Amino acid sequence: MSICPHCGGNACYEQAVTEEVTTSFCFGCGYSTSTLMTEGGELVNKTLEASPELYKDLMFTSEDSRVWFPATVTLPGKGMVFVDGNSKDDWKCAAVTSVEILEEEKAKFPKGQTTKMDMKNIKHFEKEDFMESLDAIKFFDIEVAEKDGGQNV
Ligand SMILES: [Zn+2]
């Protein structure tokens, strides 16, 4: 764990994905980046094109010219954590848990899919409680190695 340049907390988790690429994910504020996310870089531009307005507003550039965004964490079959809101000044962390797809609904989903995100049971958390929103989807019950597979940077 290292210091997060965004929130100043010491819960920033770094992982070398390949020899060249390292990702960073802060458990405190939920921000993430990678060594490919450089200011003005191609990947940042692509991310901006694909991101909702709120994520663009919340973009953060650290001193080393890395571009950070709030992470969307998806745990297949368990739930999802994301940021939810209207603007930079009006947003919260949100967690939704997965529920079983009912027999009569199965036709609406891809074959073999057994759970869906239940938006009706969405829970909101304060900005600095990203970790609690992860806990709400039982994120800490699984191994670190699995976690990165579900992390959408
Ligand atoms: Zn942070």
Side-chain angles (χ1 to χ4, degrees), residues 54 57-58 84-92 126-127:
L54 180 61
D57 283 354
L58 294 176
D84 192 21
N86 301 313
S87 73
K88 213 173 167 168
D89 305 310
D90 175 25
W91 64 274
K92 287 187 168 186
E126 295 305 322
K127 299 174 179 65

Side-chain angles (χ1 to χ4, degrees), residues 60-73:
F60 166 76
T61 307
S62 51
E63 269 174 19
D64 56 359
S65 300
R66 286 287 175 74
V67 178
W68 297 67
F69 286 101
T72 299
V73 179

Side-chain angles (χ1 to χ4, degrees), residues 4 6-9 26 28-31:
C4 168
H6 178 251
C7 68
C26 176
C29 62
Y31 270 63

